[in-house]
Amino acid sequence: MSAVVAFAVATAWHAGFQLTVTLLVYPVLARRSSEEWRAAHDRHSRTIAPLVGVLYLAVLVTGGLLAASGPDPLGWLALGLTGLALATTALAAAPVHGRLTDRDDVLVARLLVADRWRCAFAVLGAVAATAAVLAGG
């Protein structure tokens, strides 16, 4: 399997995961009351962490292989967009999650905005990676 195909598979998985979180998981979490918040947020964090770890490792490893192979411009675009999704997680979503020990409507709103951005970057990264495969890159 070529590096660009491996990266396209990983980014498709990432985009599907991110769409599920954005469209299903976070809306349910955001509707939790103050009384339910801590237990629901802790359960969410515990259960999603292993999947995030495996998924992000797959994206990073295949992205490293793609970068080392000298991708075409679509491949670089896919790497950049996917990198923005990961950076949005590291710099925006994860720090907000860390502060959400109790329900705070302002922080929940920030989390939802950060999540929408990373979802958009993840989907666009997967589209660019797929286009790179189809272009023969």
Side-chain angles (χ1 to χ4, degrees):
M1 179 181 310
S2 72
V4 69
V5 170
F7 187 66
V9 169
T11 59
W13 179 26
H14 181 219
F17 167 81
Q18 194 56 60
L19 282 163
T20 301
V21 168
T22 302
L23 298 175
L24 299 174
V25 176
Y26 274 14
V28 170
L29 183 63
R31 285 193 298 268
R32 296 295 185 171
S33 68
S34 294
E35 295 78 25
E36 300 171 306
W37 181 262
R38 185 176 298 244
H41 185 260
D42 288 351
R43 185 174 47 254
H44 163 78
S45 297
R46 265 192 329 274
T47 57
I48 205 166
L51 180 56
V52 170
V54 171
L55 172 58
Y56 280 28
L57 180 63
V59 169
L60 290 170
V61 168
T62 60
L65 292 171
L66 179 57
S69 75
D72 67 7
L74 280 171
W76 283 116
L77 179 62
L79 286 164
L81 290 164
T82 303
L84 286 171
L86 299 180
T88 302
T89 298
L91 300 174
V96 172
H97 261 298
R99 295 176 58 199
L100 275 169
T101 54
D102 293 313
R103 182 176 174 86
D104 178 321
D105 290 340
V106 171
L107 291 179
V108 170
R110 283 186 197 159
L111 179 62
L112 294 175
V113 169
D115 180 64
R116 289 180 191 120
W117 277 105
R118 74 175 163 184
C119 184
F121 290 138
V123 169
L124 291 171
V127 169
T130 302
V133 170
L134 294 174

